[in-house]
Structure formats: C-alpha cells, structure tokens
C-alpha cells in the first residue's frame, strides 16, 4: 500500500507520535506527494487501509473521515469514510515518510490546511502547539491529556516560508493573517492561550499589548538562570502561569494518611520555595513578573484585572501611553465579549457550550446569507427576463426552509 495522509488525520498522527503512543513509527525523510496504490489489494476498500500501526483502527465513517492527499484529480479515492484532497501546486518535500508506504503531511502543510477547517484563534493555537514544546491529545485535543517537554515540530519562520509556495490552497489568506501573531517556544496550552489573548487586537477580543517573548531565559548561565513564561518585548514586565496543579496540592491530598505523605508534602514545599526564590532573583535582576492563576482565567474579569496591572507597569517603566488598550479594557461590552472568547478557548464544559453556541449562530448567519443570495438571484432573473416574457415571474418561497425553490 502507498498512501498520503493529510489534514486532521495527519495532525492526529503527529500528536500521537509526540505523545509517544506510536513507538513503532519511524519519522523519516521529507518526500514529495506520492500517488496512492492499494497493492496488494486490487482496489481501495475499507479493508485496504491498513493503518493500525498509526493508531487508526476504527471503522471509517463520514463523520470522522480519513483525510487523504493525491497529486491528481484522476487519482481520487472515493471509498466511503474518506475525504480526498488534490494537491497540484505545493512546495516540494511537503510530506514525511512514516514507514509501511505511508506518508503524512509535514507540519507546515498541516498548518496551512487548517485554514479551511479551523477559525482564526483555533488555528493560531495550533500554530503555538506545532512550534512549541507540548502536544495536545490526539483523540481529545480539548479535554485530553497534554504531553509536555517535547521538541517543536517547526518554527514560525519555516511556516512563513512554506506559505509562500501555497498561494492556491483554500482560504490560505487566513493562514497569512494568523502568522504575524504566531510565536515559538510555548511550553503549555494555557501559556499559549494567554499569549494569544495578549497579542491579538482588541477588535479580535485580545488586549493588543504588542510583541512578547515566550520563555525568555534571564541570566547568563543556563543552570543559574530563570525563565518567565511571558515577557513583554522591550520591557522588564512578565507573567508566569501557575495552574491548579502547579504546587502538587492534589497529590498532597491524595497522599494524606499514607506512607508517602511526608515525601509528597516535602516535594510540594520544595516547589513553593523554588518559586519564591525565582521571584526574588527576577526582582533583583530588574524584572516585574506577576503570577497568573487558573482562577484569573475562569473567574469573570480575572485576566482583565491582570492586564490592567500589566498596562500600569509597562507605562511606568517605558513611558508609553496605552490609553487605547486601557479604554478597550474598561469597555463593559467588549469585556463581556473578551471573557466569552477566553472561556471558549479553555478546557471545561462552559467553554464547550460557548463553542457550540457560536457554531449554531454561525450556521444561522450562513443560512440567512444563503437565502439573501438566492433572493437576489431570483430578482435579478426577473429583471432580466420579466420584460421579455411580458408577465410576472413567479418564484415560490418554501416556508419551511426559508429558501426560494
């Protein structure tokens, strides 16, 4: 069998590889898009797709299709449960050999493809992931377990260079619009979400606070240096994210009354002490680094309060006037919209509910616009043909669907 996987399927495989779930997979060299070949089978059937070694062993269906890339429209695979894309003008070396005759889209191509599958903020978060040191779960990216301390798959510079050769892909303009906000070296999904909120323009529900650096090392030697999660470029103002499990308090509760209690408490205490020493060392080095907690993200107005303090520190240090950002911060309507946007990016049932509401609203708007376009088409048809027919052109409206028939 010879096959090239693309889109969401390729992304799923990359995530499984980074999580160490596919120890038998060898990430090989970059190659050009190969032509599909079902051999030793005579034709493409569901049984011909032998992808168990990639963790793909469920039956193919249209709800979660297998995304396939082919170099020519004549080579399309039309088996049920597959979604086939034709790539005729993409850069060379756009696929990566993973063995057994299978190739997957390179990380840069995966990012470019997601213009047609994701909205702007979600695609930007994917970019942080591909260029960062963590990987979301392959089966449940939103709520599943995150893998940390992995090597980045690509860089923002490599993605930018690749996009120059993808001028004819669907919605590729979105990838180009997202790229200026993309940075490498994010170490966690929450860190990436906070970074995205900082750099996005206020009109896109961000804070518009300019460029930042992720995990910038402070100090000459690696052993004796400290690394703030986020540092505002051109300043000594930074942020560190301390999540709910940062100090291991859940482990302390779980170990209470057991033989491991003292050991677990000592480990949590050590983490707290190290954080305090880090804060002191950064302060002596001239850096004002504030902690952002999970409560700041989930409680209404929590992150806004942190950013108000950031604005005050930046203005005090640099003399810059951030009046516009402060005005957006104090606008109640924009604050409500910004909080819902933040919740939609975070794990949890509330964020998922907001995403579903947004999707329903988007579908309603699309249906309305489709009806308007059909109405406009009908009236244009009347204007062009009515006088010739010498009578009114009757075009009935279906009351159930709201569309012209």
């Amino acid at each position: 069998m010879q096959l090239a996987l693309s889109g969401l399927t390729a992304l799923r495989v990359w995530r499984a590889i980074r999580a160490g779930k596919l120890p038998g997979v060898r990430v090989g060299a970059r190659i050009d898009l190969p032509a599909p070949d079902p051999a030793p089978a005579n034709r493409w059937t569901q049984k011909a797709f032998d992808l168990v070694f990639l963790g793909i062993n469920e039956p193919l269906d249209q709800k979660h299709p297998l995304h396939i890339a082919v170099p020519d429209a004549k080579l399309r695979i039309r088996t049920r449960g597959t979604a086939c894309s034709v790539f005729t003008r993409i850069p060379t070396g756009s696929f990566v050999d993973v063995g057994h005759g299978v190739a997957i889209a390179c990380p840069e191509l995966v990012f470019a493809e997601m213009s047609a599958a994701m909205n702007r903020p979600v695609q930007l978060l994917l970019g942080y992931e591909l260029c960062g040191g963590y990987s979301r779960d392959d089966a449940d990216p939103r709520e599943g377990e995150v893998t940390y301390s992995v090597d980045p798959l690509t860089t923002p510079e490599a993605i930018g260079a690749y996009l120059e050769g993808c001028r004819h892909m669907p919605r590729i303009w979105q990838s180009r619009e997202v790229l200026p906000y993309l940075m490498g070296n994010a170490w966690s999904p929450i860190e990436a979400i906070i970074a995205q909120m900082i750099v996005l323009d206020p009109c896109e529900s961000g804070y518009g606070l300019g460029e930042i650096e992720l995990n910038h090392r402070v100090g000459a030697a690696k052993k004796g240096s400290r690394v703030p999660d986020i540092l505002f470029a051109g300043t000594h103002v930074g942020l560190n994210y301390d999540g709910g499990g940062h100090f291991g308090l859940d482990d302390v509760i779980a170990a209470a009354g057991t033989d491991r209690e003292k050991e677990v408490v000592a480990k949590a205490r050590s983490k707290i002490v190290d954080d305090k020493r880090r804060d002191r060392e950064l302060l002596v080095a001239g850096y004002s680094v504030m902690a952002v907690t999970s409560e700041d993200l989930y409680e209404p107005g929590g992150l806004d309060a942190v950013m108000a303090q950031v604005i005050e520190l930046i203005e005090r240090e640099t003399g810059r006037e951030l009046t516009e950002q402060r005005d957006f911060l104090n606008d109640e309507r924009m604050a409500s919209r910004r909080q819902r946007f933040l919740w939609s990016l975070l794990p949890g049932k509330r964020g998922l509910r907001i995403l579903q509401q947004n999707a329903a609203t988007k579908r309603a708007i699309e249906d309305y616009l489709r009806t308007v376009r059909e109405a406009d088409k009908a009236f244009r048809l009347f204007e062009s043909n009515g006088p010739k027919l010498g009578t009114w052109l009757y075009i009935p409206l279906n009351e159930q669907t709201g569309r012209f028939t």
Side-chain angles (χ1 to χ4, degrees), residues 232-287:
F232 292 83
T235 78
H236 292 79
V237 179
L239 298 172
N240 275 325
Y241 175 66
D242 295 343
H246 180 64
F247 294 117
L249 298 182
D250 290 340
D251 294 336
V252 172
I253 295 172
T258 69
D259 296 339
R260 297 184 61 249
E261 181 176 358
K262 289 185 178 180
E263 176 191 347
V264 174
V265 170
K267 184 178 180 181
R269 174 66 183 173
S270 175
K271 179 62 177 172
I272 294 172
V273 170
D274 183 67
D275 274 19
K276 297 302 180 184
R277 289 172 175 169
R278 175 202 63 193
D279 294 342
R280 288 202 310 262
E281 291 168 11
L282 288 170
L283 182 62
V284 170
Y287 288 85

Side-chain angles (χ1 to χ4, degrees), residues 4 62 109 118 142 259 262 272 293 396:
Q62 293 302 115
L109 176 56
M118 298 176 174
R142 183 180 178 84
D259 296 339
K262 289 185 178 180
I272 294 172
T293 67

Side-chain angles (χ1 to χ4, degrees), residues 164-184:
E164 290 300 314
C166 299
R167 298 182 179 277
H168 304 284
M169 289 182 63
R171 289 180 59 86
I172 195 63
W173 53 267
Q174 177 175 294
S175 293
R176 294 198 181 93
E177 289 181 354
V178 164
L179 186 62
Y181 301 107
L182 177 58
M183 284 158 288

Side-chain angles (χ1 to χ4, degrees), residues 31-33 89-95 109 161-166:
I31 60 175
D32 293 338
L33 174 56
R89 288 181 285 183
I90 56 174
T92 58
S94 289
F95 286 80
L109 176 56
Y162 187 87
L163 293 179
E164 290 300 314
C166 299

Side-chain angles (χ1 to χ4, degrees), residues 133-193:
Y134 68 93
S135 180
R136 292 179 179 266
D137 187 66
D138 58 302
D140 186 0
R142 183 180 178 84
E143 306 289 343
E145 186 176 351
V146 178
T147 303
Y148 299 97
S149 301
V150 295
D151 292 332
L153 290 176
T154 184
T155 66
E157 294 76 19
I159 290 177
Y162 187 87
L163 293 179
E164 290 300 314
C166 299
R167 298 182 179 277
H168 304 284
M169 289 182 63
R171 289 180 59 86
I172 195 63
W173 53 267
Q174 177 175 294
S175 293
R176 294 198 181 93
E177 289 181 354
V178 164
L179 186 62
Y181 301 107
L182 177 58
M183 284 158 288
N185 207 32
W187 289 359
S188 75
I190 302 299
E191 182 183 302
I193 290 172

Side-chain angles (χ1 to χ4, degrees), residues 217 219-226:
R217 192 169 294 280
K222 184 175 182 180
K223 185 176 180 180
S225 61
R226 294 297 187 173

Side-chain angles (χ1 to χ4, degrees), residues 4-15 56 65-69 83-85 87 94-95 103-118 126 130 169:
L5 303 177
S6 63
L8 292 172
T9 303
L11 176 57
R12 171 183 171 181
V13 174
W14 277 120
R15 282 171 166 162
I56 302 174
L66 188 71
H67 292 265
I68 299 169
C84 207
S85 299
F87 293 99
S94 289
F95 286 80
I104 59 175
C106 69
E108 297 81 11
L109 176 56
V110 170
F111 179 82
E113 286 186 274
M114 291 305 104
S115 291
M118 298 176 174
L126 173 63
L130 296 176
M169 289 182 63

Side-chain angles (χ1 to χ4, degrees), residues 379 382 385-387 389-395:
F379 286 121
F382 165 73
N385 294 327
L389 297 173
T391 184
W392 288 93
L393 183 65
Y394 174 66
I395 304 177

